[in-house]
Amino acid sequence: MSIIDELTAALGQAKVAVDETTMATYAVDQAPVLEFKLPQAVVRAESVADVQATVRACAAHGVALVARGAGTGVSGGAHATEGCVVLSLERMNRILALSPDDETAVVEPGVINGDLNAAAAVHGLMFAPDPASFRISTVGGNVATNAGGLRCAKYGVTRDSVLALDVVLADGSLIHTGHQTFKGVAGYDLTGLFVGSEGTLGIVVAVTVRLKYLPREVHTIAAFYPDFRSAAAGVLAVGKARVQPAIMELLDGGTLAQLDDLHGSNLSVRGASLLLIQTDGFGAAAEAAAIRTVLAAGGAVVTTEASAEAEHLVEMRRHSRGDEVDDEYRVGEDVAVPRSKLVDYVAALETMAAARHVRLKIVAHAGDGNLHPTFWVDRVDNTVDPDAMERLGKVLDESITAALAMGGTITGEHGIGQYKLRWLGLEQKEPVRELQRRIKELFDPAGILNPGKAV
Amino acid sequence: MSIIDELTAALGQAKVAVDETTMATYAVDQAPVLEFKLPQAVVRAESVADVQATVRACAAHGVALVARGAGTGVSGGAHATEGCVVLSLERMNRILALSPDDETAVVEPGVINGDLNAAAAVHGLMFAPDPASFRISTVGGNVATNAGGLRCAKYGVTRDSVLALDVVLADGSLIHTGHQTFKGVAGYDLTGLFVGSEGTLGIVVAVTVRLKYLPREVHTIAAFYPDFRSAAAGVLAVGKARVQPAIMELLDGGTLAQLDDLHGSNLSVRGASLLLIQTDGFGAAAEAAAIRTVLAAGGAVVTTEASAEAEHLVEMRRHSRGDEVDDEYRVGEDVAVPRSKLVDYVAALETMAAARHVRLKIVAHAGDGNLHPTFWVDRVDNTVDPDAMERLGKVLDESITAALAMGGTITGEHGIGQYKLRWLGLEQKEPVRELQRRIKELFDPAGILNPGKAV
Ligand SMILES: Cc1cc2nc3c(=O)[nH]c(=O)nc-3n(C[C@H](O)[C@H](O)[C@H](O)COP(=O)(O)OP(=O)(O)OC[C@H]3O[C@@H](n4cnc5c(N)ncnc54)[C@H](O)[C@@H]3O)c2cc1C
Ligand SMILES: Cc1cc2nc3c(=O)[nH]c(=O)nc-3n(C[C@H](O)[C@H](O)[C@H](O)COP(=O)(O)OP(=O)(O)OC[C@H]3O[C@@H](n4cnc5c(N)ncnc54)[C@H](O)[C@@H]3O)c2cc1C
């Protein structure tokens, strides 16, 4: 029996798609596509048993299995590999439990981050990880990428909110890792090993999360600066004042210009760089006041209290990735550097982009030293001339090397996926990579789970 | 050449002790001793190279190696096994770097937690993990046990403050895991795998930590209750008000009586249970006010503002483990339950202790649902009668089973070590344990690193 017949027999026709439209839709995530490959089938699982049956069928046939949440990943982690089965978890989208007293929830992997947050908010709680994609990405995807977000400066990344996991292993068996309690140290931290493993060690079929308290009070500050350097200095100054904002986002001139284009605003007129800060909780007002003082002393033009405009700017920032446009070919990066290196790193980026005639804009989760530079070149009639493509490639390489030289990492939150594999060897030495390969082998000896990704 | 000759040749006499006094001192940590075993040597390493030489010698001779920080562990993780080499890291106690701008530090494993905190405090920073043993335990030991503490309700456990590790593997090679940046998701989370692995996967020789902001304002509340049940209800009420204290400690009547004995205080007269809460940061005053209101409504007698007494009580709590006394045989436990189960669990403990005529006192890191019940029986002329010992053993077993039945864990923060291994199978199913054994095998195929511990 072919794997498709087997899947159809086990799961029913409604869950197994083989039509071209579906397959093309599920073939890629939001990353740059290096090589476009079609899967041989797309399974939309509705239960743990469906997942187990799919994994078992793939194992029996030696077929690669690519797990997929919402496909919003930007590193190609969910890109199809040749002839693989894409296993979509999007239909497993029930919140199985939410305990306001225990401040925990158990969800299926396909639950949208924003939906979990909406359910938690009723009880004064929140699921802290808030990738800018929170309205469209799944909790399972957040777990598999260890997603960050805006407020993780204060509240931590996805790992910090995950207590336990149900995982289907490469042989189709189901295990439970972790603990329902806030703390627990029995045995090795398998939960942490699965978080961020990008579908290469097992399929996450349920997630137990710790919820945090939804802050009642939030203060937002927008600070305009004459240049990026002084804005980055503002980040350090807030740190030096030992005030912990929930959100601290840095937007450069290129990003402001883009937002102006999109929204008809006049941000670029007001400054060459914008620092957006949110404080929250019982101390929000006092923290905001302290921050305003520090920023003003550093030369910023700071919005006054209770600024609706500042709040609006944070919303705009959440959506500042920007839509793909026809006449540009863009690549978004995701490096992190130690915070004191923010200024030097951005200066280095500007120099290399200018030298290679590649355009550049930068937003940064500055509180974490996590930068998202976007590089782009022109595209004419849907094609980029090879010289521009080469220059772009060189700048990307240089941007990575420079981050590493400053003690940084090649991926702060988006993951290695398929796209960043070529740089992993620059960050991690061979013995460490070898250990990771052996962990991969231990969990997936036949190599069917998302091969060629992450490690 | 014998291993001792080899170690002495490689490291010099001053670092290799074989005298009985030293060996006996380094043979056990603070856990109940099941079987007293002497090592064949104690190595006090002073450098990474010393650690590598020791590991290589043990590997060559097939001799077990037990890493040791300060030996304050309470699960027997640092207990010597027969004929092992104990490798003490206590002399590797330099703070290698502390960057106030990056808010990070790099330390050798033997640095005392309190010393790192003192160095960080100068810059308005702190190393958040604060086990009650912070004045005597090492950062390496904190990492190897994933230590908790009082303020981890708000600031997280050791894992949450560790960014990167230098680790000597079982073959003597040195690797570096993690990242210097706050965030980073390249490859599997090896750092998380080493944290809490109790010296069974590798020897931690350097730790890069993220520092948090030392709160300028701290408010402390002491709330006395007529019974434990209403005190535990107070914990949930604070949670329901969605106020996050930094510290939330619950002391039962037995603990109050003991503190009175030790310090001549009159706590027992004032209540049968005490809830100690600390709020910190810019919102500390507002949070404390909100908490006072909630607790008073729940029937507590609450100390007034700026209570020096309440602060003193927190200090007493930090030292409430109590000294060993000759006429009692005590065992301290460390379970965690979902917070809503605090009341039921304590009721169950009281019932089982009474039924078996075993005495009981309880302190809890209540914010985390993490309980430390202490059980004890009389000891006459340094011996415990076998019947009492059996009753004690039964209560311990029952306390574990009850915690698990309520969705809890057998160890919230102290680790499995040697002492809790017998219960691990009750918490984790065979396939999960098998995965852990295979991870152990992957890192330490010859099984020389702290054999018979943790997994
Ligand atoms: C506009 C926009 C903004 C974004 N902002 C952020 C941001 O602020 N921070 C951030 O970190 N990321 C951000 N991202 C990236 C992306 O949204 C995150 O990586 C997100 O966590 C992916 O979730 P997903 O459900 O779309 O997963 P997918 O893209 O479908 O999958 C991501 C990876 O996880 C694996 N996977 C998915 N589900 C499972 C499962 N159940 N079990 C095992 N493996 C699984 C996949 O195989 C793949 O390797 C953004 C993306 C967009 C498009
Ligand atoms: C009074 C008192 C109060 C305590 N309060 C708390 C508390 O509030 N919270 C809490 O979590 N614990 C508490 N503990 C337990 C203990 O202090 C912690 O587990 C602490 O982290 C152990 O540190 P240590 O340096 O003493 O390590 P050790 O006891 O020497 O070792 C602990 C384990 O780690 C391993 N190890 C040590 N160093 C290394 C290294 N460099 N590399 C690899 N493995 C290593 C050892 O082999 C052993 O398995 C308390 C103990 C006491 C005595």
Side-chain angles (χ1 to χ4, degrees):
Chain A
M1 195 152 49
S2 82
I3 182 165
I4 292 176
D5 292 344
E6 196 171 318
L7 287 169
T8 313
L11 304 169
Q13 204 115 41
K15 298 176 192 164
V16 185
V18 291
D19 62 291
E20 289 234 349
T21 320
T22 309
M23 295 209 293
T25 312
Y26 285 78
V28 292
D29 61 22
Q30 310 251 350
V33 177
L34 298 176
E35 288 177 290
F36 188 85
K37 304 280 182 192
L38 276 187
Q40 59 174 302
V42 175
V43 172
R44 280 173 284 207
E46 296 179 9
S47 67
V48 174
D50 287 351
V51 172
Q52 291 183 290
T54 308
V55 173
R56 287 200 177 110
C58 286
H61 292 265
V63 168
L65 181 73
V66 178
R68 183 185 177 95
T72 70
V74 289
S75 292
H79 278 357
T81 49
E82 181 76 50
C84 75
V85 168
V86 168
L87 172 60
S88 165
L89 285 313
E90 71 198 309
R91 290 186 184 166
M92 291 180 65
N93 62 357
R94 288 174 306 163
I95 296 176
L96 301 173
L98 197 162
S99 165
D101 275 348
D102 290 330
E103 300 159 15
T104 57
V106 184
V107 302
E108 289 186 330
V111 168
I112 297 294
N113 177 308
D115 292 344
L116 173 55
N117 265 301
V122 175
H123 305 284
L125 296 168
M126 66 179 185
F127 177 55
D130 66 335
S133 58
F134 74 98
R135 285 207 188 85
I136 46 172
S137 65
T138 67
V139 175
N142 299 162
V143 168
T145 57
N146 193 13
L150 272 61
R151 63 193 175 205
C152 64
K154 178 169 177 177
Y155 293 101
V157 292
T158 301
R159 172 71 194 99
D160 303 308
S161 287
V162 175
L163 298 175
L165 293 175
D166 290 334
V167 181
V168 172
L169 298 178
D171 63 358
S173 66
L174 175 69
I175 62 164
H176 181 77
T177 71
H179 38 83
Q180 309 303 113
T181 47
F182 288 173
K183 286 157 66 181
V185 292
Y188 301 140
D189 184 7
L190 296 182
T191 306
L193 201 55
F194 284 113
V195 174
S197 67
E198 304 189 55
T200 63
L201 298 181
I203 312 296
V204 174
V205 292
V207 186
T208 304
V209 300
R210 174 176 181 172
L211 302 168
K212 301 274 172 76
Y213 299 156
L214 193 66
R216 295 200 195 161
E217 211 175 320
V218 174
H219 285 251
T220 310
I221 301 163
F224 286 92
Y225 285 90
D227 53 58
F228 192 89
R229 182 169 294 268
S230 42
V235 173
L236 292 189
V238 171
K240 268 217 173 65
R242 305 301 180 220
V243 185
Q244 178 64 65
I247 291 181
M248 181 143 57
E249 297 289 310
L250 191 48
L251 286 65
D252 77 342
T255 305
L256 296 183
Q258 188 206 33
L259 288 175
D260 287 344
D261 273 0
L262 281 171
H263 304 283
S265 47
N266 71 338
L267 304 175
S268 319
V269 180
R270 297 164 67 190
S273 195
L274 171 62
L275 186 57
L276 283 174
I277 297 186
Q278 233 168 40
T279 59
D280 70 13
F282 285 80
E287 287 168 343
I291 289 173
R292 271 197 202 89
T293 309
V294 163
L295 297 186
V301 177
V302 186
T303 52
T304 51
E305 234 172 290
S307 162
E309 191 213 0
E311 271 162 52
H312 176 64
L313 287 171
V314 170
E315 274 314 295
M316 275 166 77
R317 155 60 192 111
R318 280 195 200 271
H319 305 286
S320 68
R321 251 194 125 238
D323 298 318
E324 208 51 50
V325 282
D326 281 345
D327 57 350
E328 289 169 2
Y329 180 79
R330 291 193 199 150
V331 180
E333 259 307 331
D334 165 48
V335 303
V337 295
R339 280 179 23 164
S340 64
K341 295 295 190 315
L342 271 175
V343 174
D344 291 350
Y345 184 63
V346 169
L349 286 182
E350 285 171 348
T351 308
M352 61 187 77
R356 303 236 178 238
H357 305 288
V358 167
R359 292 173 64 199
L360 166 71
K361 67 187 176 83
I362 304 168
V363 297
H365 304 308
D368 294 317
N370 185 190
L371 299 110
H372 295 316
T374 301
F375 299 96
W376 74 97
V377 290
D378 290 338
R379 174 153 60 180
V380 185
D381 294 337
N382 232 353
T383 51
V384 183
D385 86 82
D387 173 64
M389 205 62 174
E390 201 189 312
R391 284 184 282 115
L392 179 63
K394 288 214 171 112
V395 169
L396 285 168
D397 288 345
E398 287 163 1
S399 77
I400 293 288
T401 325
L404 291 172
M406 292 181 188
T409 174
I410 66 171
T411 175
E413 58 179 21
H414 291 165
I416 295 293
Q418 187 179 54
Y419 185 68
K420 304 201 116 187
L421 260 186
R422 59 185 157 136
W423 293 310
L424 187 53
L426 299 176
E427 175 162 346
Q428 295 181 342
K429 296 232 176 79
E430 191 47 38
V432 166
R433 295 197 66 187
E434 180 58 21
L435 271 177
Q436 303 193 34
R437 280 186 216 111
R438 288 171 62 197
I439 289 176
K440 164 73 178 168
E441 249 170 64
L442 192 164
F443 282 86
D444 179 22
I448 60 162
L449 298 178
N450 216 1
K453 313 283 180 69
V455 290
Chain B
M1 195 155 45
S2 82
I3 182 166
I4 294 177
D5 291 344
E6 196 171 318
L7 287 169
T8 313
L11 304 170
Q13 204 115 39
K15 299 177 192 166
V16 185
V18 291
D19 62 293
E20 289 234 348
T21 321
T22 308
M23 295 210 292
T25 311
Y26 285 79
V28 291
D29 60 23
Q30 310 252 350
V33 177
L34 298 175
E35 288 178 291
F36 188 87
K37 305 279 183 193
L38 277 186
Q40 57 175 304
V42 174
V43 172
R44 280 172 285 208
E46 296 178 10
S47 68
V48 174
D50 287 352
V51 172
Q52 291 183 290
T54 308
V55 173
R56 288 201 176 110
C58 286
H61 292 264
V63 168
L65 181 73
V66 178
R68 183 185 176 94
T72 70
V74 288
S75 293
H79 279 356
T81 49
E82 182 75 52
C84 75
V85 167
V86 168
L87 171 62
S88 166
L89 286 312
E90 71 198 309
R91 289 185 185 166
M92 290 178 67
N93 62 357
R94 288 175 305 162
I95 296 177
L96 300 174
L98 197 161
S99 165
D101 275 348
D102 290 330
E103 300 159 15
T104 57
V106 184
V107 302
E108 288 187 330
V111 168
I112 297 295
N113 177 308
D115 291 344
L116 173 55
N117 265 299
V122 174
H123 304 284
L125 296 168
M126 66 179 184
F127 178 53
D130 66 335
S133 58
F134 73 97
R135 286 208 188 82
I136 47 174
S137 64
T138 66
V139 175
N142 299 163
V143 168
T145 58
N146 193 11
L150 273 61
R151 63 192 174 204
C152 63
K154 177 168 178 178
Y155 292 101
V157 293
T158 301
R159 172 70 194 99
D160 303 307
S161 287
V162 175
L163 297 175
L165 293 175
D166 290 335
V167 181
V168 171
L169 299 179
D171 64 358
S173 66
L174 174 70
I175 62 164
H176 180 76
T177 71
H179 38 83
Q180 309 303 114
T181 47
F182 287 173
K183 285 158 67 183
V185 291
Y188 301 140
D189 184 9
L190 296 181
T191 307
L193 201 56
F194 285 113
V195 173
S197 68
E198 303 188 57
T200 64
L201 299 182
I203 311 298
V204 175
V205 292
V207 186
T208 304
V209 300
R210 173 176 181 173
L211 302 168
K212 302 273 171 77
Y213 299 156
L214 194 66
R216 295 200 192 161
E217 211 175 321
V218 173
H219 285 251
T220 310
I221 301 164
F224 286 93
Y225 285 90
D227 53 56
F228 191 89
R229 182 169 294 267
S230 42
V235 173
L236 292 189
V238 171
K240 269 217 173 64
R242 306 299 180 222
V243 185
Q244 179 63 65
I247 292 181
M248 181 143 59
E249 298 288 311
L250 191 49
L251 286 65
D252 78 341
T255 305
L256 296 182
Q258 188 207 33
L259 289 174
D260 286 344
D261 273 3
L262 281 171
H263 305 282
S265 47
N266 70 338
L267 305 175
S268 320
V269 180
R270 298 164 65 189
S273 196
L274 172 61
L275 187 56
L276 282 174
I277 296 185
Q278 235 170 40
T279 59
D280 70 14
F282 284 80
E287 287 168 342
I291 289 172
R292 272 197 200 89
T293 310
V294 162
L295 297 185
V301 176
V302 186
T303 51
T304 51
E305 233 172 290
S307 162
E309 191 212 2
E311 271 162 51
H312 177 63
L313 286 172
V314 171
E315 273 313 296
M316 275 167 77
R317 154 60 191 113
R318 281 196 198 270
H319 306 285
S320 69
R321 252 193 125 239
D323 298 319
E324 209 49 53
V325 283
D326 282 345
D327 56 351
E328 290 168 1
Y329 179 79
R330 293 195 197 146
V331 181
E333 259 306 333
D334 165 47
V335 302
V337 294
R339 282 181 19 165
S340 64
K341 295 295 192 312
L342 271 175
V343 173
D344 290 351
Y345 184 63
V346 168
L349 286 182
E350 284 172 348
T351 308
M352 62 186 76
R356 303 235 178 239
H357 305 289
V358 166
R359 292 174 64 198
L360 167 70
K361 67 186 176 87
I362 304 168
V363 297
H365 304 308
D368 294 318
N370 186 190
L371 299 111
H372 296 316
T374 302
F375 299 96
W376 74 96
V377 291
D378 291 338
R379 173 152 63 178
V380 184
D381 294 338
N382 232 351
T383 53
V384 185
D385 86 82
D387 173 65
M389 206 62 174
E390 202 189 312
R391 284 184 282 116
L392 178 64
K394 288 213 170 111
V395 170
L396 285 167
D397 288 344
E398 288 163 0
S399 76
I400 293 289
T401 326
L404 290 173
M406 292 181 188
T409 174
I410 66 173
T411 176
E413 59 178 21
H414 290 164
I416 295 293
Q418 187 178 57
Y419 185 68
K420 304 203 117 187
L421 259 187
R422 58 183 157 137
W423 294 310
L424 188 52
L426 298 175
E427 176 164 344
Q428 294 180 342
K429 298 233 175 78
E430 191 46 38
V432 167
R433 296 197 65 188
E434 180 57 22
L435 271 177
Q436 302 192 34
R437 281 186 216 109
R438 288 171 61 198
I439 289 175
K440 164 72 177 169
E441 250 170 65
L442 193 163
F443 282 86
D444 179 22
I448 61 162
L449 298 177
N450 218 359
K453 313 283 181 67
V455 289

